[in-house]
Amino acid sequence: MGVTERVRFDERGLVPVVVQDAEDGAVLMMAYANREALERTLATGEAHYYSRSREELWRKGETSGNTQRVLEVRLDCDGDALLYLVEPRGPACHTGERTCFFATLAGEGVGISPAGTGESVGIGAMIERLAGTIAARHRQMPEGSYTASLISQGTGHVAQKVGEEAVEVVVAALRDERVAEEAADLLYHLLVLLEERGVGTEEVARVLRDRHR
């Protein structure tokens, strides 16, 4: 039996594919594959999918450049769903977000933050979301965008802003006031600097991981 023969494709010849970052386990997207897409993925190590709207095979990143190197393909216990463990090269979502799952739905028992905002997001997820938005502003450079304005003034200006915000954090800590707000400003400007210099948050995460080990 061939490898793809173990997969139970539906009546349309498709199987759902969940895509997960092999580095940190983040769920990046969900797509579909037909037999040819799966075979090409296994043969090339690059993620291939099947577009239901365009009714055609497509390789992730063929137009955007945001490709996915597939490190492992897993089949679920029923054989009717796949998991791609990938090394992403750029955002997975067409909006510029790192992951397609950036919106939160709140209910009576789910997704209610202590502050009652209806959204509960960890700092890691929030940093990834913000980095995706900054990357989108960099690509589009919309008029009136503060992020675009910072980037347009070059590395020196953005680096100076990071230094200023770092000082603000120190001052806030010594005064024991607005520490969270000033820290948020520092993180934002640091992410802008990383984007301007072409350094991805995944690179920083990799360094932190190695040091933690």
Side-chain angles (χ1 to χ4, degrees), residues 7 11-12 16-17 20 39 50 58-60 65 77 99 102 112 124 137 163 182 199 203:
V7 181
E11 65 277 1
R12 300 165 297 177
V17 182
Q20 186 176 22
E39 289 175 345
Y50 183 83
W58 62 286
R59 178 178 63 84
K60 177 64 177 171
C77 57
T99 169
F102 58 84
I112 304 298
R137 297 291 187 274
E182 297 298 345
V199 179
E203 295 181 55

Side-chain angles (χ1 to χ4, degrees), residues 2-200:
V3 175
T4 60
E5 297 302 322
R6 299 169 56 192
V7 181
R8 295 174 56 189
F9 296 94
D10 65 18
E11 65 277 1
R12 300 165 297 177
L14 303 177
V15 62
V17 182
V18 176
V19 184
Q20 186 176 22
D21 191 324
E23 179 73 26
D24 60 10
V27 177
L28 302 178
M29 57 182 282
M30 198 285 286
Y32 288 86
N34 60 4
R35 191 178 302 278
E36 183 182 2
L38 176 56
E39 289 175 345
R40 289 199 186 183
T41 297
L42 293 171
T44 66
E46 293 291 328
H48 287 74
Y49 305 102
Y50 183 83
S51 171
R52 295 176 299 167
S53 59
R54 300 193 305 270
E55 297 185 343
E56 63 181 15
L57 187 78
W58 62 286
R59 178 178 63 84
K60 177 64 177 171
E62 59 188 349
T63 56
S64 67
N66 299 323
T67 60
Q68 294 172 347
R69 172 66 178 168
V70 181
L71 305 183
E72 188 175 343
V73 176
R74 296 182 183 178
L75 182 65
D76 87 330
C77 57
D78 293 323
D80 56 4
L82 297 173
L83 174 68
Y84 285 4
L85 295 177
V86 307
E87 180 183 274
R89 300 165 185 148
C93 186
H94 72 282
T95 64
E97 298 280 358
R98 178 198 180 197
T99 169
C100 294
F101 297 96
F102 58 84
T104 301
L105 298 181
E108 289 298 322
V110 176
I112 304 298
S113 69
T117 61
E119 185 174 18
S120 180
V121 181
I123 187 170
M126 194 62 242
I127 286 176
E128 288 299 334
R129 180 184 300 185
L130 181 56
T133 300
I134 291 171
R137 297 291 187 274
H138 190 189
R139 289 194 304 272
Q140 301 161 3
M141 295 297 282
E143 185 177 351
S145 165
Y146 177 63
T147 299
S149 173
L150 281 176
I151 293 174
S152 68
Q153 295 179 71
T155 304
H157 179 74
V158 183
Q160 180 181 341
K161 290 296 295 183
V162 171
E164 293 173 358
E165 296 300 337
V167 172
E168 292 292 335
V169 171
V170 173
V171 172
L174 293 175
R175 293 177 178 175
D176 193 22
E177 60 182 22
R178 291 183 52 81
V179 178
E181 288 84 352
E182 297 298 345
D185 288 344
L186 173 59
L187 286 173
Y188 161 75
H189 285 87
L190 180 57
L191 288 173
V192 174
L193 181 61
L194 292 175
E195 170 65 25
E196 198 276 335
R197 296 303 299 160
V199 179

